Coordinates of all heavy atoms in Angstrom, one line a residue:
M1 N 12.5 -38.6 141.3 CA 12.6 -39.8 140.4 C 14.0 -40.3 140.5 O 15.0 -39.6 140.3 CB 12.3 -39.4 138.9 CG 12.1 -40.5 138.1 SD 11.4 -40.0 136.5 CE 12.4 -40.8 135.3
T2 N 14.0 -41.7 140.6 CA 15.3 -42.4 140.7 C 15.6 -42.9 139.3 O 14.7 -43.5 138.7 CB 15.1 -43.6 141.7 OG1 14.7 -43.0 143.0 CG2 16.5 -44.2 141.9
A3 N 16.8 -42.6 138.9 CA 17.3 -43.1 137.7 C 17.4 -44.5 137.6 O 17.8 -45.3 138.8 CB 18.6 -42.4 137.4
E4 N 17.1 -45.3 136.5 CA 17.3 -46.7 136.4 C 18.9 -47.1 136.5 O 19.6 -46.3 136.0 CB 16.8 -47.3 135.1 CG 15.3 -47.3 135.0 CD 14.7 -48.4 135.9 OE1 15.2 -49.6 135.8 OE2 13.8 -48.1 136.6
P5 N 19.2 -48.1 137.2 CA 20.6 -48.5 137.2 C 21.1 -48.9 135.8 O 20.3 -49.4 135.0 CB 20.6 -49.7 138.2 CG 19.3 -50.1 138.3 CD 18.3 -49.0 138.0
T6 N 22.3 -48.6 135.6 CA 23.0 -49.0 134.2 C 23.1 -50.4 134.3 O 23.1 -51.1 135.5 CB 24.2 -48.3 134.1 OG1 25.2 -48.7 135.1 CG2 24.1 -46.8 134.1
T7 N 23.4 -51.1 133.2 CA 23.7 -52.6 133.2 C 24.8 -52.9 134.0 O 24.8 -53.9 134.9 CB 24.0 -52.9 131.6 OG1 22.9 -52.6 130.9 CG2 24.2 -54.5 131.6
Q8 N 25.9 -52.0 134.1 CA 27.1 -52.3 134.9 C 26.7 -52.2 136.3 O 27.2 -53.0 137.2 CB 28.1 -51.2 134.5 CG 29.4 -51.5 135.3 CD 30.3 -52.6 134.6 OE1 29.9 -53.1 133.6 NE2 31.4 -52.9 135.2
E9 N 25.8 -51.4 136.8 CA 25.3 -51.2 138.1 C 24.4 -52.4 138.6 O 24.5 -52.7 139.8 CB 24.7 -50.0 138.3 CG 25.6 -48.7 138.3 CD 24.9 -47.4 138.2 OE1 23.7 -47.4 137.8 OE2 25.5 -46.3 138.5
R10 N 23.7 -52.9 137.7 CA 22.7 -54.0 138.0 C 23.3 -55.4 138.3 O 23.0 -56.1 139.2 CB 21.9 -54.2 136.9 CG 20.7 -53.3 136.8 CD 19.3 -53.6 136.1 NE 19.6 -54.7 135.2 CZ 19.6 -54.8 133.9 NH1 19.5 -53.6 133.3 NH2 19.8 -55.8 133.2
F11 N 24.5 -55.6 137.7 CA 25.2 -56.9 137.8 C 26.3 -56.8 138.9 O 26.9 -55.9 139.0 CB 25.8 -57.3 136.6 CG 24.7 -57.7 135.5 CD1 24.2 -56.8 134.6 CD2 24.3 -58.9 135.5 CE1 23.2 -57.1 133.7 CE2 23.2 -59.3 134.6 CZ 22.7 -58.4 133.8
T12 N 26.3 -57.8 139.6 CA 27.4 -58.1 140.5 C 28.0 -59.4 140.2 O 27.6 -60.2 139.4 CB 26.9 -58.1 142.1 OG1 25.9 -59.1 142.1 CG2 26.2 -56.8 142.4
V13 N 29.1 -59.7 141.0 CA 29.9 -61.0 140.7 C 29.9 -61.7 142.0 O 30.3 -61.3 143.1 CB 31.3 -60.7 140.2 CG1 32.1 -61.9 139.8 CG2 31.2 -59.8 139.0
E14 N 29.3 -63.0 142.0 CA 29.5 -63.9 143.1 C 30.7 -64.8 143.0 O 30.9 -65.3 142.0 CB 28.2 -64.7 143.3 CG 26.9 -63.8 143.5 CD 25.7 -64.6 143.6 OE1 25.7 -65.8 143.4 OE2 24.7 -64.0 143.9
I15 N 31.4 -64.9 144.1 CA 32.6 -65.6 144.1 C 32.6 -66.6 145.3 O 32.1 -66.2 146.4 CB 33.8 -64.6 144.3 CG1 33.8 -63.6 143.2 CG2 35.1 -65.5 144.3 CD1 34.8 -62.4 143.5
M16 N 33.1 -67.8 145.0 CA 33.1 -68.9 146.0 C 34.5 -69.5 145.9 O 34.9 -69.9 144.9 CB 32.1 -69.8 145.9 CG 32.3 -71.1 146.7 SD 32.3 -70.9 148.5 CE 30.8 -71.6 149.0
V17 N 35.2 -69.6 147.1 CA 36.5 -70.3 147.1 C 36.2 -71.6 147.9 O 35.8 -71.5 149.1 CB 37.6 -69.5 147.8 CG1 38.9 -70.3 147.8 CG2 37.8 -68.2 147.0
D18 N 36.4 -72.7 147.4 CA 36.1 -74.0 148.0 C 37.2 -74.3 149.0 O 38.4 -74.5 148.5 CB 36.1 -75.2 146.9 CG 35.9 -76.5 147.4 OD1 35.9 -76.7 148.7 OD2 35.5 -77.3 146.7
P19 N 36.9 -74.3 150.2 CA 38.0 -74.5 151.3 C 38.6 -75.9 151.2 O 39.8 -76.0 151.7 CB 37.2 -74.3 152.7 CG 35.8 -74.6 152.3 CD 35.5 -74.2 150.9
A20 N 37.9 -76.8 150.7 CA 38.6 -78.2 150.5 C 39.5 -78.3 149.5 O 40.4 -79.1 149.5 CB 37.5 -79.3 150.3
R21 N 39.6 -77.3 148.5 CA 40.4 -77.3 147.3 C 41.5 -76.3 147.5 O 42.6 -76.5 147.0 CB 39.7 -77.1 146.1 CG 38.7 -78.2 145.8 CD 38.0 -77.9 144.5 NE 38.6 -78.4 143.4 CZ 38.1 -78.6 142.1 NH1 36.9 -78.2 142.0 NH2 38.7 -79.1 141.3
C22 N 41.3 -75.2 148.3 CA 42.4 -74.3 148.4 C 43.5 -74.8 149.2 O 43.4 -75.2 150.3 CB 41.8 -73.0 149.2 SG 43.1 -71.7 149.6
T23 N 44.7 -74.8 148.6 CA 45.9 -75.4 149.3 C 46.9 -74.2 149.6 O 48.1 -74.5 150.0 CB 46.6 -76.5 148.4 OG1 46.9 -76.0 147.1 CG2 45.7 -77.6 148.4
G24 N 46.5 -73.0 149.3 CA 47.4 -71.9 149.8 C 48.5 -71.5 148.8 O 49.6 -71.0 149.3
H25 N 48.3 -71.8 147.5 CA 49.4 -71.4 146.5 C 49.6 -69.9 146.5 O 50.7 -69.4 146.3 CB 49.0 -71.8 145.1 CG 48.9 -73.2 144.9 ND1 50.1 -74.0 144.8 CD2 47.9 -74.1 144.8 CE1 49.8 -75.3 144.7 NE2 48.5 -75.4 144.7
G26 N 48.4 -69.2 146.8 CA 48.6 -67.6 146.9 C 48.6 -66.9 145.5 O 48.7 -65.7 145.5
R27 N 48.3 -67.7 144.5 CA 48.3 -67.0 143.2 C 47.1 -66.0 143.1 O 47.2 -65.0 142.5 CB 48.2 -68.0 142.1 CG 49.5 -68.8 142.0 CD 49.4 -69.8 140.9 NE 49.2 -69.2 139.5 CZ 50.1 -68.7 138.8 NH1 51.4 -68.7 139.1 NH2 49.7 -68.2 137.5
C28 N 46.0 -66.4 143.6 CA 44.8 -65.5 143.5 C 45.1 -64.2 144.1 O 44.8 -63.1 143.5 CB 43.6 -66.2 144.2 SG 43.7 -66.6 145.9
Y29 N 45.5 -64.2 145.4 CA 45.6 -62.7 146.0 C 46.9 -62.0 145.5 O 46.9 -60.9 145.7 CB 45.5 -62.8 147.5 CG 46.5 -63.9 148.2 CD1 47.7 -63.7 148.4 CD2 45.9 -65.1 148.6 CE1 48.6 -64.5 149.1 CE2 46.7 -66.0 149.3 CZ 48.2 -65.8 149.5 OH 48.9 -66.7 150.0
S30 N 47.8 -62.9 145.0 CA 49.0 -62.1 144.4 C 48.6 -61.4 143.1 O 49.1 -60.3 142.8 CB 50.1 -63.2 144.1 OG 50.5 -63.7 145.3
L31 N 47.8 -62.0 142.3 CA 47.4 -61.6 141.0 C 46.2 -60.6 141.0 O 46.0 -59.8 140.1 CB 47.3 -62.7 139.9 CG 48.5 -63.3 139.6 CD1 48.2 -64.7 138.8 CD2 49.5 -62.5 138.8
A32 N 45.3 -60.9 142.0 CA 44.0 -60.1 142.1 C 43.7 -59.7 143.6 O 42.8 -60.0 144.1 CB 43.0 -60.9 141.5
P33 N 44.7 -58.8 144.2 CA 44.5 -58.5 145.5 C 43.4 -57.6 145.7 O 42.9 -57.3 147.0 CB 45.9 -57.7 145.8 CG 46.3 -57.2 144.5 CD 45.9 -58.2 143.5
A34 N 42.7 -56.9 144.7 CA 41.5 -56.2 144.9 C 40.3 -57.0 145.2 O 39.3 -56.5 145.7 CB 41.2 -55.3 143.6
V35 N 40.4 -58.3 145.0 CA 39.2 -59.2 145.2 C 39.6 -60.2 146.3 O 38.7 -60.5 147.2 CB 38.9 -59.9 144.0 CG1 37.9 -61.0 144.2 CG2 38.4 -58.9 143.0
F36 N 40.8 -60.7 146.4 CA 41.1 -61.9 147.2 C 42.2 -61.4 148.2 O 43.1 -60.6 148.0 CB 41.7 -63.1 146.3 CG 40.8 -63.5 145.3 CD1 40.9 -63.1 144.1 CD2 39.8 -64.4 145.7 CE1 40.0 -63.6 143.1 CE2 38.9 -64.9 144.8 CZ 39.0 -64.5 143.3
D37 N 42.1 -62.0 149.4 CA 43.0 -61.8 150.5 C 43.6 -63.0 151.1 O 43.2 -64.1 150.6 CB 42.3 -61.0 151.7 CG 43.2 -60.2 152.6 OD1 44.5 -60.2 152.4 OD2 42.7 -59.5 153.3
A38 N 44.5 -62.9 152.0 CA 45.1 -64.2 152.5 C 45.0 -64.2 154.1 O 45.0 -63.2 154.7 CB 46.6 -64.3 152.2
D39 N 44.9 -65.4 154.6 CA 45.0 -65.5 156.0 C 46.4 -65.7 156.4 O 47.4 -65.6 155.6 CB 44.1 -66.6 156.6 CG 44.5 -68.1 156.2 OD1 45.7 -68.2 155.7 OD2 43.8 -69.0 156.3
D40 N 46.7 -65.9 157.8 CA 48.1 -65.9 158.2 C 48.8 -67.1 157.8 O 50.0 -67.1 157.9 CB 48.1 -65.9 159.8 CG 47.5 -64.6 160.3 OD1 47.7 -63.6 159.6 OD2 47.1 -64.5 161.6
D41 N 48.1 -68.1 157.3 CA 48.8 -69.4 156.8 C 48.8 -69.3 155.3 O 49.4 -70.4 154.7 CB 48.0 -70.6 157.3 CG 48.0 -70.7 158.8 OD1 49.1 -70.5 159.3 OD2 46.9 -71.0 159.4
G42 N 48.4 -68.2 154.6 CA 48.5 -68.2 153.2 C 47.4 -68.8 152.4 O 47.5 -68.8 151.1
F43 N 46.4 -69.1 153.0 CA 45.2 -69.6 152.4 C 44.3 -68.3 152.0 O 44.3 -67.4 152.8 CB 44.4 -70.5 153.2 CG 45.1 -71.9 153.4 CD1 45.9 -71.9 154.5 CD2 44.9 -72.9 152.6 CE1 46.6 -73.2 154.7 CE2 45.4 -74.1 152.8 CZ 46.4 -74.2 153.9
C44 N 43.5 -68.6 150.9 CA 42.7 -67.4 150.4 C 41.7 -67.1 151.5 O 41.0 -67.9 152.0 CB 42.0 -67.9 149.1 SG 41.0 -66.6 148.3
L45 N 41.3 -65.8 151.5 CA 40.1 -65.3 152.2 C 39.4 -64.3 151.3 O 39.9 -63.6 150.5 CB 40.7 -64.5 153.4 CG 41.1 -65.3 154.7 CD1 41.5 -64.2 155.8 CD2 40.1 -66.2 155.1
P46 N 38.0 -64.4 151.4 CA 37.3 -65.3 152.2 C 37.2 -66.6 151.4 O 37.3 -66.6 150.2 CB 35.9 -64.6 152.4 CG 35.8 -63.7 151.2 CD 37.2 -63.2 150.9
R47 N 36.9 -67.7 152.1 CA 36.6 -69.0 151.6 C 35.6 -69.7 152.3 O 35.4 -69.5 153.5 CB 37.9 -69.8 151.5 CG 38.7 -70.2 152.7 CD 39.9 -71.0 152.4 NE 40.5 -71.5 153.6 CZ 41.2 -70.9 154.6 NH1 41.4 -69.6 154.5 NH2 41.4 -71.5 155.8
G48 N 34.9 -70.6 151.7 CA 33.7 -71.3 152.2 C 32.5 -70.5 152.3 O 31.5 -71.0 152.9
V49 N 32.4 -69.4 151.9 CA 31.3 -68.5 151.8 C 31.1 -67.9 150.4 O 32.2 -67.5 149.8 CB 31.2 -67.4 152.9 CG1 31.1 -68.0 154.2 CG2 32.3 -66.4 152.7
T50 N 30.0 -67.6 150.0 CA 29.8 -66.8 148.7 C 29.9 -65.3 149.1 O 29.3 -64.9 150.0 CB 28.4 -67.1 148.0 OG1 28.4 -68.5 147.8 CG2 28.3 -66.2 146.8
F51 N 30.8 -64.5 148.4 CA 30.8 -63.1 148.6 C 30.7 -62.4 147.2 O 30.9 -63.0 146.2 CB 32.2 -62.8 149.3 CG 33.5 -63.0 148.6 CD1 34.1 -62.0 147.8 CD2 34.0 -64.2 148.5 CE1 35.4 -62.2 147.2 CE2 35.2 -64.5 147.9 CZ 35.8 -63.5 147.2
V52 N 30.4 -61.2 147.3 CA 30.0 -60.4 146.2 C 30.8 -59.2 146.0 O 31.2 -58.5 147.0 CB 28.4 -59.9 146.4 CG1 28.0 -59.1 145.2 CG2 27.6 -61.1 146.4
V53 N 31.2 -59.0 144.7 CA 31.9 -57.8 144.4 C 31.3 -57.1 143.2 O 30.3 -57.6 142.5 CB 33.4 -58.0 144.0 CG1 34.2 -58.6 145.2 CG2 33.5 -58.9 142.8
A54 N 31.6 -55.8 143.1 CA 30.9 -55.1 142.0 C 31.3 -55.6 140.7 O 32.4 -56.2 140.4 CB 31.2 -53.5 142.0
A55 N 30.5 -55.3 139.6 CA 30.8 -55.9 138.3 C 32.1 -55.4 137.8 O 32.7 -56.0 136.9 CB 29.6 -55.5 137.4
D56 N 32.5 -54.2 138.1 CA 33.7 -53.7 137.5 C 35.0 -54.5 138.1 O 36.2 -54.2 137.5 CB 33.9 -52.1 137.7 CG 33.9 -51.8 139.2 OD1 33.9 -52.7 140.0 OD2 34.1 -50.6 139.5
R57 N 34.7 -55.3 138.8 CA 35.7 -56.2 139.4 C 35.7 -57.7 138.8 O 36.6 -58.6 139.3 CB 35.9 -56.3 140.9 CG 36.2 -54.9 141.5 CD 36.8 -55.0 142.8 NE 37.4 -53.7 143.2 CZ 37.4 -53.4 144.5 NH1 37.3 -54.2 145.4 NH2 38.0 -52.2 144.7
E58 N 34.8 -57.8 137.8 CA 34.7 -59.2 137.3 C 35.9 -59.7 136.7 O 36.4 -60.9 136.9 CB 33.5 -59.2 136.4 CG 33.4 -60.6 135.7 CD 32.2 -60.7 134.9 OE1 31.4 -59.7 134.5 OE2 31.9 -61.9 134.4
E59 N 36.6 -58.8 135.8 CA 37.8 -59.4 135.3 C 38.9 -59.8 136.1 O 39.6 -60.7 136.0 CB 38.4 -58.3 134.2 CG 37.6 -58.4 132.8 CD 37.5 -59.8 132.2 OE1 38.6 -60.4 132.1 OE2 36.4 -60.3 132.0
T60 N 39.0 -58.9 137.2 CA 39.9 -59.3 138.4 C 39.7 -60.5 139.0 O 40.5 -61.4 139.3 CB 40.0 -58.1 139.3 OG1 40.4 -56.8 138.5 CG2 41.1 -58.3 140.3
A61 N 38.4 -60.7 139.3 CA 38.0 -61.9 139.9 C 38.3 -63.1 139.1 O 38.7 -64.2 139.4 CB 36.5 -61.9 140.2
R62 N 38.0 -63.0 137.8 CA 38.2 -64.2 136.9 C 39.7 -64.4 136.6 O 40.1 -65.6 136.4 CB 37.5 -63.9 135.4 CG 36.0 -63.9 135.6 CD 35.3 -63.9 134.3 NE 33.8 -63.9 134.5 CZ 33.1 -65.0 134.9 NH1 33.6 -66.1 135.1 NH2 31.7 -64.9 135.1
L63 N 40.4 -63.4 136.6 CA 41.9 -63.5 136.6 C 42.4 -64.3 137.7 O 43.1 -65.3 137.7 CB 42.6 -62.1 136.6 CG 44.1 -62.3 136.8 CD1 44.8 -63.0 135.6 CD2 44.8 -60.8 136.9
G64 N 41.8 -64.1 139.0 CA 42.4 -64.8 140.2 C 41.8 -66.3 140.0 O 42.5 -67.3 140.4
A65 N 40.5 -66.4 139.5 CA 40.1 -67.8 139.4 C 40.9 -68.7 138.4 O 41.2 -69.8 138.6 CB 38.6 -67.8 139.0
R66 N 41.3 -68.0 137.2 CA 42.1 -68.7 136.3 C 43.4 -69.1 136.7 O 44.1 -70.0 136.4 CB 42.2 -67.8 135.0 CG 41.0 -67.8 134.1 CD 41.4 -67.3 132.7 NE 42.0 -66.0 132.8 CZ 41.4 -64.7 132.8 NH1 40.2 -64.7 132.8 NH2 42.1 -63.7 132.8
S67 N 43.9 -68.3 137.7 CA 45.3 -68.4 138.2 C 45.4 -69.5 139.2 O 46.4 -69.9 139.5 CB 45.7 -67.1 138.8 OG 45.3 -66.9 139.9
C68 N 44.3 -70.0 139.7 CA 44.2 -71.0 140.9 C 44.6 -72.4 140.4 O 43.8 -73.0 139.5 CB 43.0 -71.0 141.6 SG 42.9 -72.3 142.9
P69 N 45.7 -73.0 140.6 CA 46.0 -74.3 140.2 C 45.1 -75.5 140.6 O 45.1 -76.5 140.1 CB 47.5 -74.5 140.7 CG 47.9 -73.3 141.3 CD 46.8 -72.4 141.5
E70 N 44.4 -75.2 141.8 CA 43.4 -76.2 142.3 C 42.0 -76.1 141.7 O 41.2 -76.9 142.1 CB 43.5 -76.1 143.8 CG 44.7 -76.1 144.5 CD 45.6 -77.4 144.2 OE1 44.9 -78.4 143.9 OE2 46.9 -77.3 144.2
G71 N 41.8 -75.1 140.9 CA 40.4 -74.8 140.4 C 39.4 -74.5 141.6 O 38.3 -75.0 141.6
A72 N 39.9 -73.9 142.6 CA 39.1 -73.7 143.8 C 38.1 -72.6 143.8 O 37.3 -72.5 144.5 CB 40.0 -73.6 145.0
I73 N 38.3 -71.7 142.8 CA 37.5 -70.5 142.7 C 36.5 -70.6 141.8 O 36.7 -70.8 140.5 CB 38.4 -69.3 142.5 CG1 39.5 -69.2 143.5 CG2 37.7 -68.0 142.4 CD1 40.6 -68.1 143.2
T74 N 35.3 -70.3 142.1 CA 34.1 -70.2 141.2 C 33.6 -68.7 141.1 O 33.5 -68.1 142.1 CB 32.9 -71.1 141.6 OG1 33.4 -72.4 141.7 CG2 31.7 -71.0 140.7
V75 N 33.4 -68.3 139.9 CA 32.9 -66.9 139.7 C 31.6 -66.9 138.8 O 31.7 -67.5 137.8 CB 34.0 -66.0 139.0 CG1 33.5 -64.6 138.6 CG2 35.3 -66.0 139.8
V76 N 30.6 -66.4 139.3 CA 29.3 -66.2 138.7 C 28.8 -64.8 138.6 O 28.8 -64.1 139.5 CB 28.3 -67.1 139.4 CG1 27.0 -67.1 138.7 CG2 28.7 -68.5 139.6
T77 N 28.5 -64.3 137.4 CA 27.9 -63.1 137.2 C 26.4 -63.2 137.6 O 25.6 -64.0 137.2 CB 28.0 -62.6 135.8 OG1 29.3 -62.6 135.4 CG2 27.4 -61.2 135.6
A78 N 25.9 -62.3 138.5 CA 24.5 -62.4 139.0 C 23.8 -61.0 138.8 O 24.6 -60.0 138.8 CB 24.5 -62.8 140.4
E79 N 22.5 -61.1 138.8 CA 21.8 -59.8 138.6 C 21.2 -59.5 140.0 O 20.8 -60.4 140.7 CB 20.8 -59.9 137.6 CG 20.0 -58.6 137.3 CD 19.2 -58.6 135.9 OE1 19.1 -59.7 135.4 OE2 18.7 -57.6 135.7
Ligands
SF4_1 S1 45.3 -69.7 144.2 FE1 43.7 -71.3 144.7 S2 44.8 -72.7 146.1 FE2 46.0 -70.8 146.0 S3 45.3 -69.4 147.8 FE3 44.2 -69.0 146.0 S4 42.3 -70.2 146.0 FE4 43.8 -71.1 147.4

């Protein structure tokens, strides 16, 4: 018998970085390196695709999103 996933395990966090708005300030990956990375030019990676992290990284993802001066990062909690 498989145990039901906990609420924390059921939810994930979907993140999208708008490549048209990211201007490479670097605040997201400086403040939230567990979620965001940088390319060689200082722009956020990944960008232009929706990527998923575990729910226990939601606060870190939202910190990165709040820190972006361009409002380029969207964070959505998904089931
Ligand atoms: S903080 Fe915003 S503009 Fe700067 S690298 Fe991250 S997503 Fe791009």
Side-chain angles (χ1 to χ4, degrees):
M1 185 168 138
T2 305
E4 285 290 312
T6 65
T7 300
Q8 184 77 4
E9 289 169 339
R10 278 202 343 254
F11 289 90
T12 57
V13 179
E14 294 182 355
I15 304 166
M16 164 64 108
V17 178
D18 183 343
R21 297 178 88 166
C22 176
T23 55
H25 292 285
R27 292 179 57 84
C28 58
Y29 52 79
S30 296
L31 293 170
V35 173
F36 301 99
D37 202 353
D39 68 13
D40 291 341
D41 297 316
F43 291 87
C44 180
L45 284 179
R47 63 183 189 280
V49 295
T50 299
F51 64 102
V52 174
V53 297
D56 63 357
R57 294 204 169 158
E58 179 173 6
E59 278 309 307
T60 304
R62 291 191 183 281
L63 170 65
R66 281 194 308 272
S67 73
C68 177
E70 306 300 332
I73 303 172
T74 303
V75 176
V76 178
T77 303
E79 189 167 3

